[in-house]
Amino acid sequence: MSSAGGEFGQRVRAALARQRLSIRAASRAMNYDPAFLSRVLAGKQLPSPQLAEALDHLLNAEGEIIEAAARLLDGDDSPAAQASASVPTLADFLPEGDPLSLLTARSPRRVGVGEVTDLQKRVHGLRLADDVLAGGDLIGPALRELRSTVRLYRENTHTGEVGRALLVQIGELAQIAGWIASDAGRHEEAERIYRLGLSAARQAEDMTLAGNLAGSLAYQMSNTGRTDEGLTLAQAALHDATNEAPGKARALYWDRVAWAHTQVGGTENARAAMRALGEASEALADDSTDTDEPPAYLYWVDAGELQVMESRVYTELRRPLRAVPLLRDVLDQYDATHTREMALYLSWLAIALADANEPEEAAAVAERVIRIAADVASERTAERVRVVLARLQEYDDVPEVAALLADHAA
């Protein structure tokens, strides 16, 4: 990045010092990740207009920081500059300290391959349970399993091979436990879990797993208003993935990048999202030529899931003529026992129908969403209900919509 990047960082650091704010405190106040802000101030990451506005407001800079960011962006808007500055490595997102360090004094009990095999079965069982249950139902068992597995690794002796296998299982367990915590609306806890898993995956030198964990955290960031960070982390997961990663894994990384671009918004990000969807399809096609079996946690990544993401991206981009047929096709084939996902996908169909100026049909689909969501302990599903009802407010003069809004005003 140019020297202007360093000047921007110096200006913000000086303002932080005047306000007696640390980077961590400022990040917390703005709901940004400290590692992300550190990269911006070090000149390794371009500041977004949203970040500049948040900093300016926090530091009472009266527009100075916004203007400095604008000058920096105007000077570094070439594709090459953007590419070199915008992609961190996953190491930037590791937790502070080492939460997986082995204890100096450990139990003499030796953990063997058999216990790792049993653990693999329990972790996969938790994944399968998540297909039909929601975060509120599974958060307790998931956290208990994660805590006991970390203790098993830290407090007992094992060979190097078994230790690596345990780290892999900690990473896999952290991914599903983080996903469950996020679904239950416990986003800060989910982030801590994901970062723990990322540390475990990197120590085990399993970059495919690290990419899955980073992508999951990026997805949460994108969905909770931290769109710049979500895009940065999704790109980091893709950037750090090796060519040896299975096609299914690369398809998943690209899908996360596509979604992150839609949440940031704007014409350029819309185009980038469409390009990422194409890359995801190509990566999945490559999977058929892979000689090795993909990891078990990728069992759900297939052409149908890519179609789901494509339809959701089209919905977010307000392109209902493409979104509605795709969503109908997905829902016609979807397993009805996966009630949470059924409600989520129906919610996007309701939004797409509203965008297509079909409020009566949108109201009928929304009624299905609400009926299904009532029996699902998922904060994500509850949030989608709120989004759908808010979107339908525009059509409150349509009798079907008015009746729906009256019935569910609370």
PDB file of all heavy atoms in Angstrom, residues 131-144:
ATOM      1  N   ASP A 131     -28.795 -31.119  11.528  1.00  0.00           N
ATOM      2  CA  ASP A 131     -29.618 -31.102  10.319  1.00  0.00           C
ATOM      3  C   ASP A 131     -31.100 -31.032  10.652  1.00  0.00           C
ATOM      4  O   ASP A 131     -31.897 -30.493   9.871  1.00  0.00           O
ATOM      5  CB  ASP A 131     -29.355 -32.357   9.470  1.00  0.00           C
ATOM      6  CG  ASP A 131     -28.031 -32.288   8.735  1.00  0.00           C
ATOM      7  OD1 ASP A 131     -27.491 -31.181   8.587  1.00  0.00           O
ATOM      8  OD2 ASP A 131     -27.532 -33.358   8.319  1.00  0.00           O
ATOM      9  N   VAL A 132     -31.491 -31.584  11.799  1.00  0.00           N
ATOM     10  CA  VAL A 132     -32.916 -31.685  12.120  1.00  0.00           C
ATOM     11  C   VAL A 132     -33.303 -30.946  13.397  1.00  0.00           C
ATOM     12  O   VAL A 132     -34.484 -30.801  13.694  1.00  0.00           O
ATOM     13  CB  VAL A 132     -33.342 -33.167  12.239  1.00  0.00           C
ATOM     14  CG1 VAL A 132     -33.244 -33.857  10.888  1.00  0.00           C
ATOM     15  CG2 VAL A 132     -32.496 -33.914  13.251  1.00  0.00           C
ATOM     16  N   LEU A 133     -32.310 -30.498  14.171  1.00  0.00           N
ATOM     17  CA  LEU A 133     -32.576 -29.723  15.384  1.00  0.00           C
ATOM     18  C   LEU A 133     -31.939 -28.343  15.240  1.00  0.00           C
ATOM     19  O   LEU A 133     -31.144 -28.111  14.334  1.00  0.00           O
ATOM     20  CB  LEU A 133     -32.017 -30.441  16.615  1.00  0.00           C
ATOM     21  CG  LEU A 133     -32.627 -31.814  16.929  1.00  0.00           C
ATOM     22  CD1 LEU A 133     -31.863 -32.492  18.056  1.00  0.00           C
ATOM     23  CD2 LEU A 133     -34.106 -31.689  17.282  1.00  0.00           C
ATOM     24  N   ALA A 134     -32.282 -27.443  16.147  1.00  0.00           N
ATOM     25  CA  ALA A 134     -31.790 -26.069  16.054  1.00  0.00           C
ATOM     26  C   ALA A 134     -30.810 -25.773  17.178  1.00  0.00           C
ATOM     27  O   ALA A 134     -30.621 -26.571  18.103  1.00  0.00           O
ATOM     28  CB  ALA A 134     -32.961 -25.100  16.087  1.00  0.00           C
ATOM     29  N   GLY A 135     -30.196 -24.573  17.075  1.00  0.00           N
ATOM     30  CA  GLY A 135     -29.156 -24.198  18.018  1.00  0.00           C
ATOM     31  C   GLY A 135     -29.600 -24.231  19.464  1.00  0.00           C
ATOM     32  O   GLY A 135     -28.852 -24.660  20.351  1.00  0.00           O
ATOM     33  N   GLY A 136     -30.825 -23.763  19.730  1.00  0.00           N
ATOM     34  CA  GLY A 136     -31.312 -23.752  21.097  1.00  0.00           C
ATOM     35  C   GLY A 136     -31.437 -25.130  21.703  1.00  0.00           C
ATOM     36  O   GLY A 136     -31.357 -25.293  22.926  1.00  0.00           O
ATOM     37  N   ASP A 137     -31.636 -26.154  20.863  1.00  0.00           N
ATOM     38  CA  ASP A 137     -31.747 -27.532  21.342  1.00  0.00           C
ATOM     39  C   ASP A 137     -30.388 -28.167  21.596  1.00  0.00           C
ATOM     40  O   ASP A 137     -30.260 -29.046  22.450  1.00  0.00           O
ATOM     41  CB  ASP A 137     -32.510 -28.387  20.317  1.00  0.00           C
ATOM     42  CG  ASP A 137     -33.889 -27.849  20.004  1.00  0.00           C
ATOM     43  OD1 ASP A 137     -34.618 -27.540  20.961  1.00  0.00           O
ATOM     44  OD2 ASP A 137     -34.219 -27.719  18.815  1.00  0.00           O
ATOM     45  N   LEU A 138     -29.368 -27.731  20.851  1.00  0.00           N
ATOM     46  CA  LEU A 138     -28.083 -28.449  20.840  1.00  0.00           C
ATOM     47  C   LEU A 138     -26.948 -27.711  21.531  1.00  0.00           C
ATOM     48  O   LEU A 138     -25.871 -28.295  21.704  1.00  0.00           O
ATOM     49  CB  LEU A 138     -27.675 -28.724  19.384  1.00  0.00           C
ATOM     50  CG  LEU A 138     -28.533 -29.709  18.602  1.00  0.00           C
ATOM     51  CD1 LEU A 138     -28.110 -29.730  17.143  1.00  0.00           C
ATOM     52  CD2 LEU A 138     -28.414 -31.108  19.189  1.00  0.00           C
ATOM     53  N   ILE A 139     -27.143 -26.462  21.934  1.00  0.00           N
ATOM     54  CA  ILE A 139     -26.022 -25.678  22.437  1.00  0.00           C
ATOM     55  C   ILE A 139     -25.400 -26.299  23.684  1.00  0.00           C
ATOM     56  O   ILE A 139     -24.169 -26.343  23.821  1.00  0.00           O
ATOM     57  CB  ILE A 139     -26.463 -24.210  22.703  1.00  0.00           C
ATOM     58  CG1 ILE A 139     -25.283 -23.344  23.121  1.00  0.00           C
ATOM     59  CG2 ILE A 139     -27.594 -24.142  23.705  1.00  0.00           C
ATOM     60  CD1 ILE A 139     -24.256 -23.149  22.066  1.00  0.00           C
ATOM     61  N   GLY A 140     -26.197 -26.821  24.605  1.00  0.00           N
ATOM     62  CA  GLY A 140     -25.659 -27.429  25.824  1.00  0.00           C
ATOM     63  C   GLY A 140     -24.765 -28.619  25.546  1.00  0.00           C
ATOM     64  O   GLY A 140     -23.590 -28.641  25.950  1.00  0.00           O
ATOM     65  N   PRO A 141     -25.278 -29.634  24.834  1.00  0.00           N
ATOM     66  CA  PRO A 141     -24.435 -30.795  24.512  1.00  0.00           C
ATOM     67  C   PRO A 141     -23.202 -30.433  23.699  1.00  0.00           C
ATOM     68  O   PRO A 141     -22.128 -31.001  23.911  1.00  0.00           O
ATOM     69  CB  PRO A 141     -25.381 -31.694  23.702  1.00  0.00           C
ATOM     70  CG  PRO A 141     -26.745 -31.293  24.113  1.00  0.00           C
ATOM     71  CD  PRO A 141     -26.676 -29.836  24.420  1.00  0.00           C
ATOM     72  N   ALA A 142     -23.321 -29.483  22.784  1.00  0.00           N
ATOM     73  CA  ALA A 142     -22.181 -29.111  21.937  1.00  0.00           C
ATOM     74  C   ALA A 142     -21.060 -28.500  22.770  1.00  0.00           C
ATOM     75  O   ALA A 142     -19.883 -28.843  22.600  1.00  0.00           O
ATOM     76  CB  ALA A 142     -22.631 -28.136  20.851  1.00  0.00           C
ATOM     77  N   LEU A 143     -21.393 -27.602  23.686  1.00  0.00           N
ATOM     78  CA  LEU A 143     -20.370 -26.960  24.502  1.00  0.00           C
ATOM     79  C   LEU A 143     -19.733 -27.935  25.482  1.00  0.00           C
ATOM     80  O   LEU A 143     -18.527 -27.885  25.733  1.00  0.00           O
ATOM     81  CB  LEU A 143     -20.969 -25.767  25.251  1.00  0.00           C
ATOM     82  CG  LEU A 143     -21.412 -24.587  24.377  1.00  0.00           C
ATOM     83  CD1 LEU A 143     -21.948 -23.453  25.236  1.00  0.00           C
ATOM     84  CD2 LEU A 143     -20.272 -24.092  23.499  1.00  0.00           C
ATOM     85  N   ARG A 144     -20.536 -28.839  26.041  1.00  0.00           N
ATOM     86  CA  ARG A 144     -19.973 -29.847  26.950  1.00  0.00           C
ATOM     87  C   ARG A 144     -18.973 -30.730  26.217  1.00  0.00           C
ATOM     88  O   ARG A 144     -17.895 -31.050  26.731  1.00  0.00           O
ATOM     89  CB  ARG A 144     -21.087 -30.691  27.567  1.00  0.00           C
ATOM     90  CG  ARG A 144     -21.884 -29.978  28.653  1.00  0.00           C
ATOM     91  CD  ARG A 144     -22.718 -30.953  29.463  1.00  0.00           C
ATOM     92  NE  ARG A 144     -23.723 -31.633  28.646  1.00  0.00           N
ATOM     93  CZ  ARG A 144     -24.946 -31.142  28.428  1.00  0.00           C
ATOM     94  NH1 ARG A 144     -25.304 -29.970  28.946  1.00  0.00           N
ATOM     95  NH2 ARG A 144     -25.805 -31.814  27.688  1.00  0.00           N
TER      96      ARG A 144
END
